[in-house]
């Protein structure tokens, strides 16, 4: 496979393109971020936005929050450094790990913030996971849609028009660039939501796709992005902190550890030096494994690319890590299989139908990784009813 001469990301990476010298568009954005953006001016712009909203509503802003490194840093900046009155809104995707829950409790207490956590109906989550896995080879629709739609619903309900997110997408893909950042094009709005968050499937589409007589349209309410009119009436702004301050994950992780006692927790399929990454989800290793089968590239490649761009590792180190850690079958794959009622054989077959050319990975040949230290404590009650999954497989002609 073709790959970037600088960060090694392969041609199957979302949105990637290469220039004549073999460097990718994401590396170029990174250069733009470091060389062309006047961050002092962006900083000023941020405080101008705050001035428009501060002390005028029940809260100064809403901070969508998981408890991972990015949202913790964002909340620290806003609630502690800038002394804003923040309403923390947290969408529980059903797979928080024990350490994450400890981190959240500790941080909410230390920062002194009001928190709304919403946990959607598990039975619906299961159906959504299966449906989008079959259709798109990506089971995270419920999580991504909920995380981005639900805080906007709260903004309307609580009459808090300013929503502040963490890292901009320009950091990782080219759906938006840092040039867009400069022109304020990467606002976290419905356009961005439809562009890549929800896989092109709205909650309304999803209701009809599920085609399930036991389902009530209201069951999908947590995933509905509020209407443009409602948001406009609120005079809303929904922005990324990382569009106004240069995002630097490693520095930020050091800061939240020091200041808040935030703790790392190694996830599956990545080297221990990246224990700060994606601490929030039991399913992350499984998502990354699926990506590896589809695209021939996993999370270690993604993390190495960031470090290569920042000149923090060399290509040899990156290549060794990628070889050693990417493409291991998660020891906890059964967590997903049980949640959606699939066998591993069916799982492999479904993922293979979503392969991105020219990746060509045979999942039967991949080695098994080590179980995560806390996996014995993960809840596996309420598996999917097999009869539901079988009906779906028949409809999709995926059965053996
Ligand atoms: Zn690159």
């Amino acid at each position: 496979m073709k790959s970037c001469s600088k960060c090694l990301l392969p041609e199957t990476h979302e949105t990637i393109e290469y220039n004549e010298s073999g460097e990718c568009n994401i590396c170029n954005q990174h250069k733009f971020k470091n060389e062309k953006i006047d961050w002092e001016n962006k900083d000023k712009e941020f405080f101008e936005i705050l001035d428009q909203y501060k002390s005028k509503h029940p809260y100064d802003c809403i901070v969508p929050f998981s408890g991972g490194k990015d949202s913790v840093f964002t909340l620290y900046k806003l609630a502690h450094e800038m002394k804003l009155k923040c309403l923390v809104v947290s969408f529980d995707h059903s797979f928080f790990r024990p350490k994450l829950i400890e981190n959240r409790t500790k941080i909410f207490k230390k920062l002194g913030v009001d928190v709304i956590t919403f946990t959607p109906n598990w039975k619906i989550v299961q159906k959504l996971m299966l449906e989008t896995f079959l259709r798109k080879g990506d089971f995270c629709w419920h999580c991504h849609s909920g995380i981005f739609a639900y805080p906007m619903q709260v903004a309307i309900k609580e009459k808090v028009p300013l929503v502040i997110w963490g890292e901009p997408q320009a950091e990782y893909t080219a759906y938006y660039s840092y040039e867009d950042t400069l022109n304020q094009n990467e606002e976290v709005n419905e356009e961005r939501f439809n562009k890549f968050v929800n896989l092109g499937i709205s909650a309304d589409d999803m209701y009809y796709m599920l085609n399930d007589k036991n389902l009530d349209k209201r069951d999908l309410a947590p995933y509905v992005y509020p209407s443009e009119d409602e948001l406009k009436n609120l005079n809303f702004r929904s922005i990324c902190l990382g569009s106004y301050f240069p995002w630097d994950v490693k520095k930020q992780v050091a800061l939240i550890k020091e200041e808040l006692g935030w703790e790392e927790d190694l996830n599956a399929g990545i080297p221990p030096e990246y224990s700060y990454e994606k601490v929030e989800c039991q399913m992350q290793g499984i998502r990354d494994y699926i990506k590896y089968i589809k695209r021939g590239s996993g999370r270690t490649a993604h993390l190495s690319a960031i470090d290569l761009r920042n000149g923090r590792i060399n290509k040899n180190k990156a290549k060794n890590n990628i070889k050693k850690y990417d493409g291991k079958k998660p020891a906890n794959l059964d967590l997903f299989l049980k949640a959606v009622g699939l066998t591993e054989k069916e799982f492999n077959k479904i993922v293979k139908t979503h392969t991105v050319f020219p990746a060509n990975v045979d999942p039967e040949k991949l080695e098994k990784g080590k179980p995560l230290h806390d996996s014995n404590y993960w809840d596996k009650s309420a598996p999917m009813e097999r009869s539901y999954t079988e009906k779906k497989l028949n409809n999709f002609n995926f059965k053996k």
Side-chain angles (χ1 to χ4, degrees), residues 4 7 24 27:
C4 173
C7 74
C24 78
C27 281

PDB file of all heavy atoms in Angstrom, residues 4 7 24 27, ligand 1:
ATOM      1  N   CYS A   4       2.267   7.776   3.387  1.00  0.00           N
ATOM      2  CA  CYS A   4       2.848   9.120   3.455  1.00  0.00           C
ATOM      3  C   CYS A   4       4.341   9.037   3.787  1.00  0.00           C
ATOM      4  O   CYS A   4       4.747   8.302   4.678  1.00  0.00           O
ATOM      5  CB  CYS A   4       2.120   9.940   4.519  1.00  0.00           C
ATOM      6  SG  CYS A   4       2.884  11.542   4.839  1.00  0.00           S
ATOM      7  N   CYS A   7       4.420  10.706   7.655  1.00  0.00           N
ATOM      8  CA  CYS A   7       3.728  10.143   8.820  1.00  0.00           C
ATOM      9  C   CYS A   7       3.337   8.682   8.640  1.00  0.00           C
ATOM     10  O   CYS A   7       2.790   8.071   9.547  1.00  0.00           O
ATOM     11  CB  CYS A   7       2.493  10.974   9.149  1.00  0.00           C
ATOM     12  SG  CYS A   7       1.134  10.715   7.996  1.00  0.00           S
ATOM     13  N   CYS A  24       1.287  13.671   2.885  1.00  0.00           N
ATOM     14  CA  CYS A  24      -0.182  13.638   2.860  1.00  0.00           C
ATOM     15  C   CYS A  24      -0.788  14.989   3.248  1.00  0.00           C
ATOM     16  O   CYS A  24      -0.115  15.865   3.796  1.00  0.00           O
ATOM     17  CB  CYS A  24      -0.700  12.530   3.760  1.00  0.00           C
ATOM     18  SG  CYS A  24      -0.689  12.913   5.510  1.00  0.00           S
ATOM     19  N   CYS A  27      -0.567  15.850   7.045  1.00  0.00           N
ATOM     20  CA  CYS A  27       0.736  16.421   7.405  1.00  0.00           C
ATOM     21  C   CYS A  27       0.806  17.894   6.988  1.00  0.00           C
ATOM     22  O   CYS A  27       1.356  18.732   7.704  1.00  0.00           O
ATOM     23  CB  CYS A  27       1.868  15.649   6.732  1.00  0.00           C
ATOM     24  SG  CYS A  27       2.253  14.101   7.567  1.00  0.00           S
TER      25      CYS A  27
HETATM   26 ZN1  LIG B   1       1.334  12.323   6.386  1.00  0.00          ZN
END
